[in-house]
Amino acid sequence: MISLLQEAAHTAAEHTESVASSIAHGETETATGLPQLDLTTFANQIFWLIVTMLVLYWVVAKIALPRIGAVLSDRQGAMTGDLMAAEEFKLKAKEAEAAYDKALADARAEAGKIVAANRAEIQKELDAAIAHADAEISARAAESEKRIREIRDSADTDAREVARDVAAELVRSFGGTVDQAAVDQAVDSRMKGALQ
């Protein structure tokens, strides 16, 4: 590739020298037609085309593509983290339910022993303790379910947003114009198909 550039530069230099010598000797050319189709300037045009394409390739390869890759990687990491947090909250909810079941079984066994000694008084205390434990556990379970639902909704929203951004960027990179409504509709229909 470097040899092609050197050859193009050498040809351009020779052409420039020949034009300069013809001007010095009083020779003039009459130009007719389009200047870009003049065969005497093809070497110069090809040289600058190659230089321009190399610069454009370097800008895309070294600047644009790494930035796009970093954004996609960050979005993927955020989605993975949100999904892991949702699984963690789900496990905590299951552990809370198991602890509740164990606490309830223990409370019932203890209540049976105490009821034999002092049935009426202990029954009131047991009912109050069970009601308090039920309210606390159902509040915690509802809070955990709410957190899990929020995380799932957030992950779904983030996934849709990333899909829309990537689809729009792909359309732009292929030289098209982005119709945001069409991109949104395509992503929504694809996401609905993936979720079913």
Side-chain angles (χ1 to χ4, degrees):
M1 179 155 213
I2 293 174
S3 64
L4 287 175
L5 289 174
Q6 289 173 345
E7 185 179 320
H10 180 67
T11 306
E14 287 176 357
H15 175 70
T16 305
E17 288 174 9
S18 68
V19 169
S21 67
S22 68
I23 289 174
H25 291 85
E27 298 174 9
T28 59
E29 295 182 16
T30 58
T32 59
L34 297 172
Q36 64 267 31
L37 298 179
D38 184 11
L39 292 176
T40 59
T41 62
F42 268 11
N44 193 20
Q45 290 179 28
I46 291 172
F47 171 76
W48 286 110
L49 174 68
I50 290 171
V51 169
T52 304
M53 291 305 288
L54 288 174
V55 168
L56 183 62
Y57 173 78
W58 182 84
V59 166
V60 169
K62 298 294 182 186
I63 296 172
L65 290 179
R67 287 184 183 176
I68 291 171
V71 167
L72 291 176
S73 176
D74 290 346
R75 294 268 173 104
Q76 182 63 35
M79 288 188 328
T80 302
D82 289 345
L83 290 174
M84 289 176 63
E87 287 298 323
E88 185 177 325
F89 283 125
K90 187 177 179 181
L91 287 175
K92 286 182 180 180
K94 286 182 180 180
E95 290 173 1
E97 184 179 1
Y100 167 71
D101 291 341
K102 184 178 183 290
L104 188 60
D106 291 346
R108 286 183 180 156
E110 185 67 27
K113 293 176 185 176
I114 295 174
V115 165
N118 197 349
R119 185 175 188 134
E121 185 178 336
I122 299 301
Q123 189 63 39
K124 290 179 188 177
E125 292 176 10
L126 181 62
D127 291 341
I130 289 175
H132 177 68
D134 285 343
E136 185 177 329
I137 289 173
S138 75
R140 286 183 184 177
E143 182 180 339
S144 295
E145 289 175 2
K146 180 182 174 187
R147 286 182 189 167
I148 290 170
R149 195 175 316 113
E150 288 173 357
I151 289 170
R152 282 186 180 160
D153 291 344
S154 173
D156 184 44
T157 303
D158 288 346
R160 286 178 192 272
E161 183 179 329
V162 168
R164 286 181 182 131
D165 291 348
V166 169
E169 192 59 36
L170 284 173
V171 169
R172 279 191 211 98
S173 68
F174 285 122
T177 57
V178 178
D179 180 6
Q180 195 61 40
V183 170
D184 292 346
Q185 183 181 6
V187 168
D188 289 342
S189 67
R190 185 67 177 171
M191 291 292 286
K192 284 180 186 174
L195 292 175
Q196 290 178 352

mmCIF file of all heavy atoms in Angstrom, residues 15-23 26-32 38-41:
data_model
loop_
_atom_site.group_PDB
_atom_site.id
_atom_site.type_symbol
_atom_site.label_atom_id
_atom_site.label_comp_id
_atom_site.label_asym_id
_atom_site.label_seq_id
_atom_site.Cartn_x
_atom_site.Cartn_y
_atom_site.Cartn_z
ATOM 1 N N HIS A 15 4.086 14.769 -13.237
ATOM 2 C CA HIS A 15 3.078 15.535 -13.967
ATOM 3 C C HIS A 15 3.220 17.021 -13.680
ATOM 4 O O HIS A 15 3.120 17.854 -14.591
ATOM 5 C CB HIS A 15 1.668 15.043 -13.598
ATOM 6 C CG HIS A 15 0.584 15.867 -14.210
ATOM 7 N ND1 HIS A 15 0.320 15.864 -15.567
ATOM 8 C CD2 HIS A 15 -0.289 16.741 -13.653
ATOM 9 C CE1 HIS A 15 -0.667 16.695 -15.817
ATOM 10 N NE2 HIS A 15 -1.051 17.242 -14.669
ATOM 11 N N THR A 16 3.450 17.370 -12.433
ATOM 12 C CA THR A 16 3.614 18.770 -12.049
ATOM 13 C C THR A 16 4.828 19.368 -12.740
ATOM 14 O O THR A 16 4.788 20.498 -13.235
ATOM 15 C CB THR A 16 3.752 18.888 -10.521
ATOM 16 O OG1 THR A 16 2.629 18.268 -9.917
ATOM 17 C CG2 THR A 16 3.798 20.329 -10.083
ATOM 18 N N GLU A 17 5.913 18.608 -12.801
ATOM 19 C CA GLU A 17 7.126 19.087 -13.469
ATOM 20 C C GLU A 17 6.873 19.296 -14.962
ATOM 21 O O GLU A 17 7.327 20.284 -15.561
ATOM 22 C CB GLU A 17 8.272 18.088 -13.274
ATOM 23 C CG GLU A 17 8.820 18.060 -11.875
ATOM 24 C CD GLU A 17 9.862 16.962 -11.685
ATOM 25 O OE1 GLU A 17 10.276 16.338 -12.696
ATOM 26 O OE2 GLU A 17 10.227 16.730 -10.529
ATOM 27 N N SER A 18 6.163 18.374 -15.605
ATOM 28 C CA SER A 18 5.909 18.507 -17.045
ATOM 29 C C SER A 18 5.009 19.700 -17.330
ATOM 30 O O SER A 18 5.216 20.425 -18.308
ATOM 31 C CB SER A 18 5.305 17.223 -17.604
ATOM 32 O OG SER A 18 4.014 17.018 -17.103
ATOM 33 N N VAL A 19 4.017 19.925 -16.459
ATOM 34 C CA VAL A 19 3.139 21.081 -16.641
ATOM 35 C C VAL A 19 3.932 22.365 -16.434
ATOM 36 O O VAL A 19 3.809 23.335 -17.190
ATOM 37 C CB VAL A 19 1.923 21.002 -15.677
ATOM 38 C CG1 VAL A 19 1.164 22.307 -15.673
ATOM 39 C CG2 VAL A 19 1.011 19.866 -16.088
ATOM 40 N N ALA A 20 4.807 22.375 -15.417
ATOM 41 C CA ALA A 20 5.606 23.568 -15.135
ATOM 42 C C ALA A 20 6.557 23.857 -16.296
ATOM 43 O O ALA A 20 6.749 25.012 -16.699
ATOM 44 C CB ALA A 20 6.379 23.384 -13.847
ATOM 45 N N SER A 21 7.185 22.815 -16.876
ATOM 46 C CA SER A 21 8.107 23.035 -17.983
ATOM 47 C C SER A 21 7.365 23.503 -19.231
ATOM 48 O O SER A 21 7.865 24.343 -19.991
ATOM 49 C CB SER A 21 8.911 21.775 -18.268
ATOM 50 O OG SER A 21 8.070 20.758 -18.767
ATOM 51 N N SER A 22 6.160 22.993 -19.466
ATOM 52 C CA SER A 22 5.408 23.438 -20.633
ATOM 53 C C SER A 22 4.947 24.879 -20.481
ATOM 54 O O SER A 22 4.918 25.632 -21.450
ATOM 55 C CB SER A 22 4.227 22.508 -20.897
ATOM 56 O OG SER A 22 3.286 22.628 -19.867
ATOM 57 N N ILE A 23 4.645 25.281 -19.248
ATOM 58 C CA ILE A 23 4.261 26.678 -19.005
ATOM 59 C C ILE A 23 5.481 27.570 -19.191
ATOM 60 O O ILE A 23 5.401 28.658 -19.755
ATOM 61 C CB ILE A 23 3.641 26.842 -17.608
ATOM 62 C CG1 ILE A 23 2.261 26.190 -17.589
ATOM 63 C CG2 ILE A 23 3.529 28.302 -17.227
ATOM 64 C CD1 ILE A 23 1.610 26.156 -16.232
ATOM 65 N N GLY A 26 6.196 28.363 -22.694
ATOM 66 C CA GLY A 26 5.156 29.129 -23.367
ATOM 67 C C GLY A 26 4.053 28.294 -23.950
ATOM 68 O O GLY A 26 3.209 28.796 -24.675
ATOM 69 N N GLU A 27 4.026 27.027 -23.651
ATOM 70 C CA GLU A 27 2.971 26.176 -24.175
ATOM 71 C C GLU A 27 1.729 26.339 -23.297
ATOM 72 O O GLU A 27 1.819 26.407 -22.089
ATOM 73 C CB GLU A 27 3.408 24.712 -24.163
ATOM 74 C CG GLU A 27 4.605 24.423 -25.024
ATOM 75 C CD GLU A 27 5.056 22.996 -24.849
ATOM 76 O OE1 GLU A 27 4.334 22.209 -24.204
ATOM 77 O OE2 GLU A 27 6.132 22.665 -25.358
ATOM 78 N N THR A 28 0.635 26.424 -23.903
ATOM 79 C CA THR A 28 -0.618 26.521 -23.143
ATOM 80 C C THR A 28 -1.569 25.457 -23.641
ATOM 81 O O THR A 28 -1.539 25.074 -24.813
ATOM 82 C CB THR A 28 -1.273 27.909 -23.306
ATOM 83 O OG1 THR A 28 -1.529 28.127 -24.670
ATOM 84 C CG2 THR A 28 -0.381 28.998 -22.745
ATOM 85 N N GLU A 29 -2.405 25.003 -22.700
ATOM 86 C CA GLU A 29 -3.397 24.000 -23.065
ATOM 87 C C GLU A 29 -4.771 24.631 -22.974
ATOM 88 O O GLU A 29 -5.016 25.470 -22.114
ATOM 89 C CB GLU A 29 -3.323 22.796 -22.112
ATOM 90 C CG GLU A 29 -2.034 22.035 -22.182
ATOM 91 C CD GLU A 29 -2.064 20.832 -21.237
ATOM 92 O OE1 GLU A 29 -3.163 20.454 -20.799
ATOM 93 O OE2 GLU A 29 -0.997 20.298 -20.961
ATOM 94 N N THR A 30 -5.596 24.207 -23.804
ATOM 95 C CA THR A 30 -6.974 24.671 -23.713
ATOM 96 C C THR A 30 -7.776 23.559 -23.062
ATOM 97 O O THR A 30 -7.795 22.433 -23.551
ATOM 98 C CB THR A 30 -7.547 25.000 -25.102
ATOM 99 O OG1 THR A 30 -7.459 23.847 -25.900
ATOM 100 C CG2 THR A 30 -6.800 26.162 -25.724
ATOM 101 N N ALA A 31 -8.375 23.868 -21.931
ATOM 102 C CA ALA A 31 -9.130 22.861 -21.192
ATOM 103 C C ALA A 31 -10.574 22.875 -21.655
ATOM 104 O O ALA A 31 -11.194 23.923 -21.717
ATOM 105 C CB ALA A 31 -9.058 23.131 -19.706
ATOM 106 N N THR A 32 -11.044 21.717 -21.972
ATOM 107 C CA THR A 32 -12.452 21.595 -22.337
ATOM 108 C C THR A 32 -13.031 20.442 -21.545
ATOM 109 O O THR A 32 -12.349 19.463 -21.253
ATOM 110 C CB THR A 32 -12.619 21.306 -23.849
ATOM 111 O OG1 THR A 32 -11.930 20.115 -24.152
ATOM 112 C CG2 THR A 32 -12.101 22.459 -24.680
ATOM 113 N N ASP A 38 -10.174 15.242 -16.558
ATOM 114 C CA ASP A 38 -8.931 15.533 -17.272
ATOM 115 C C ASP A 38 -7.904 14.462 -16.920
ATOM 116 O O ASP A 38 -7.545 14.287 -15.756
ATOM 117 C CB ASP A 38 -8.428 16.923 -16.866
ATOM 118 C CG ASP A 38 -7.186 17.327 -17.644
ATOM 119 O OD1 ASP A 38 -6.856 16.634 -18.627
ATOM 120 O OD2 ASP A 38 -6.560 18.335 -17.265
ATOM 121 N N LEU A 39 -7.435 13.724 -17.922
ATOM 122 C CA LEU A 39 -6.526 12.601 -17.678
ATOM 123 C C LEU A 39 -5.205 13.041 -17.077
ATOM 124 O O LEU A 39 -4.528 12.256 -16.415
ATOM 125 C CB LEU A 39 -6.271 11.834 -18.983
ATOM 126 C CG LEU A 39 -7.464 11.071 -19.549
ATOM 127 C CD1 LEU A 39 -7.083 10.437 -20.886
ATOM 128 C CD2 LEU A 39 -7.949 10.028 -18.583
ATOM 129 N N THR A 40 -4.823 14.258 -17.258
ATOM 130 C CA THR A 40 -3.529 14.721 -16.733
ATOM 131 C C THR A 40 -3.559 14.895 -15.218
ATOM 132 O O THR A 40 -2.507 14.934 -14.585
ATOM 133 C CB THR A 40 -3.125 16.055 -17.386
ATOM 134 O OG1 THR A 40 -4.149 17.020 -17.116
ATOM 135 C CG2 THR A 40 -2.921 15.879 -18.884
ATOM 136 N N THR A 41 -4.731 14.978 -14.617
ATOM 137 C CA THR A 41 -4.819 15.150 -13.154
ATOM 138 C C THR A 41 -5.269 13.887 -12.442
ATOM 139 O O THR A 41 -5.520 13.916 -11.239
ATOM 140 C CB THR A 41 -5.800 16.298 -12.801
ATOM 141 O OG1 THR A 41 -7.091 15.948 -13.282
ATOM 142 C CG2 THR A 41 -5.336 17.613 -13.379
#
